[in-house]
Structures are given as structure tokens and as C-alpha cells.
Amino acid sequence: MVSIAGSKKLKRQMAPLFWGITRKDKRFVVTVKPGGHKKHSSIPAAVLVRDTLKMASTLREAKSVVYGGRVKVDGITRKSLHHGIGLMDVVEFEGVSDIYRLVPKDLEVLKPIKINSSEKTKKLLKVSSKVTVKGKKTQLGFHDGRILVSDAKVSVGDTCLVQIPETKILDVIKLEKNSQVIVTSGVNVGKMGKVNEIRPGTFVLPKRALVDIGEREIEIPTDLIMAVGKDKPVLQIE
């Protein structure tokens, strides 16, 4: 069997803070293998089980959980310790009633929150690319690496409410004035607000949004925010 490229371990001191690992322990920790989410914006399955959620006390116990097929991400069983779990992913465990969604919260890039079981088949996906393919069909690329050929009227930067694991689009949330957004990266990560204005990009500056966050207004690149609803979030994200 051909091995997947990339190292299987990472120095603890180099691991992202939101993993929740201890720094003065063994020198190395399990890392993320190439996948849908970026390496430094996702959590390896083994680390999520052992360190983030503390459902296991050792790597050996975490291996038992993962290799035993007891971890589902977006409704699909994942048996790799290195599978990256990222933004808006829904995680459930066999024999455990709690279901989690990973969201930006409390100034952390990713934090698991408990959600209702009625929401475990729904997920928010940000449109990261849009291209025309053979047959003049439109192919959408999403932030978690999914690709879907669809006739839905969406633009890059919009968010789709989809049914998982089928990736069936249920609704489209436009990134526009008065839409509710959450900051997914940067110094304001995890904060929510309302869009006051969308400013087009230039040769020098990226596309930006003016967002009301609490009692202040910030200008932020649209790459760092995600539309989550029109008047309020369509799913539980806090």
C-alpha cells in the first residue's frame, strides 16, 4: 500500500494553540495529513479525541477509538489518526450522546460546541471557488475541500447550508449588506457581527467588508469572515 506524503508527527512547540495540547510533554504530537482543511486550521482526529475533548487519556486509547470506527465526521466514519477536522465540521462518537460542531469561539480558531441532534445532518460551507466545466456546468469548491456541480446561484464568498453527507444545497446565504457573519481568522476570530457594506477589491487591496462588532465597526477582508445567516445564524454556532 502506498503511503500518503507528509510527516506523521509535529513538534509540540509548533502545534497551534487551539489544539489544547500540553507543551511540556513528549517532544512530538500527531499531525494533520493533507486533506480538505488546511494543516494549521484543523485538528487531527487523535488530538481531538485525546486533548481537545479529553475523551481519552493516552494516544493508545485514542487509537482504539479512531481505529475502532467510532468517530464520524460529517456523517462519514473516519479511521485515520491524522484526518484533519476543521471549520463547521460535525463530529459524533459511537456510544456518546453528545454531538459537536467545530466553530471559531472565544478568540480561538476552532472550538468544539455541543449541538442538537437535529442539526447533525446540516453544515455551513463557504464557497471558495466557482468555475465552468464541461457541458457549461458550474462547479463549486468549498472551504473544506468539497467539490459540487450545481445550478445554484451563488458567488465566491457566499455560504451554502447543505445536507451532509450528501452535500445537497438546502439554502444560500449571500455575503451582502445586513447579513450576519462570524470572523474565522485574525485578532477578532470568533466574534459575530452585521455587515454594513461590501467594498470591492482593487489591484492592491482584497475585497473587504465593514462589519459591526459590538460597539465598533471594523474593516476586514472577506476571506476572514463567513456568512452564517440573514437576521440570525441558521445553525447553532455558539
Side-chain angles (χ1 to χ4, degrees):
M1 182 176 179
V2 178
S3 63
I4 302 176
S7 176
K8 294 182 179 180
K9 57 187 179 180
L10 176 72
K11 287 185 178 179
R12 283 179 178 267
Q13 298 297 329
M14 302 298 291
L17 292 175
F18 62 84
W19 284 15
I21 64 173
T22 55
R23 298 289 162 172
K24 296 183 178 180
D25 205 327
K26 295 182 179 179
R27 186 177 183 185
F28 295 99
V29 66
V30 172
T31 190
V32 176
K33 283 284 192 175
H37 293 285
K38 294 180 180 179
K39 182 175 182 179
H40 290 287
S41 58
S42 58
I43 306 175
V47 172
L48 181 74
V49 171
R50 184 189 63 184
D51 301 287
T52 310
L53 294 176
K54 302 188 185 305
M55 300 181 70
S57 56
T58 64
L59 181 59
R60 184 173 183 176
E61 292 177 359
K63 285 181 178 180
S64 177
V65 173
V66 178
Y67 290 156
R70 285 179 277 179
V71 179
K72 281 188 177 181
V73 181
D74 293 343
I76 299 175
T77 301
R78 299 295 183 180
K79 293 186 178 183
S80 171
L81 300 177
H82 311 278
H83 179 78
I85 303 172
L87 180 65
M88 296 298 170
D89 282 356
V90 177
V91 186
E92 53 185 319
F93 300 90
E94 182 183 319
V96 179
S97 60
D98 293 335
I99 302 170
Y100 300 89
R101 175 179 289 122
L102 268 65
V103 300
K105 187 179 180 183
D106 299 333
L107 299 181
E108 292 187 18
V109 176
L110 289 176
K111 195 170 185 177
I113 62 168
K114 294 180 183 179
I115 62 172
N116 297 325
S117 59
S118 60
E119 291 193 356
K120 72 177 185 179
T121 59
K122 296 178 182 178
K123 180 180 180 180
L124 292 174
L125 292 176
K126 183 177 180 179
V127 180
S128 57
S129 66
K130 180 180 178 182
V131 297
T132 301
V133 295
K134 187 176 181 180
K136 296 184 179 180
K137 296 181 179 180
T138 302
Q139 177 179 284
L140 305 176
F142 298 105
H143 78 271
D144 68 347
R146 295 173 192 254
I147 293 176
L148 177 68
V149 176
S150 173
D151 295 327
K153 295 181 180 180
V154 298
S155 302
V156 173
D158 292 343
T159 301
C160 293
L161 174 65
V162 304
Q163 183 173 315
I164 51 177
E166 302 92 340
T167 317
K168 177 183 177 182
I169 296 179
L170 303 175
D171 193 12
V172 175
I173 306 167
K174 293 287 186 180
L175 181 60
E176 58 188 5
K177 185 177 179 180
N178 294 327
S179 61
Q180 294 290 319
V181 298
I182 187 169
V183 181
T184 58
S185 184
V187 295
N188 294 298
V189 64
K191 294 185 178 180
M192 293 183 58
K194 184 179 72 172
V195 176
N196 288 334
E197 182 186 349
I198 299 292
R199 294 181 174 176
T202 65
F203 181 76
V204 178
L205 296 173
K207 186 177 180 181
R208 295 142 4 255
L210 288 179
V211 182
D212 263 340
I213 295 180
E215 299 179 350
R216 61 195 181 99
E217 183 181 67
I218 64 170
E219 183 179 73
I220 186 170
T222 56
D223 289 345
L224 305 184
I225 59 175
M226 182 179 194
V228 294
K230 297 172 184 176
D231 299 318
K232 61 180 182 179
V234 295
L235 292 179
Q236 183 182 349
I237 57 173
E238 58 180 352

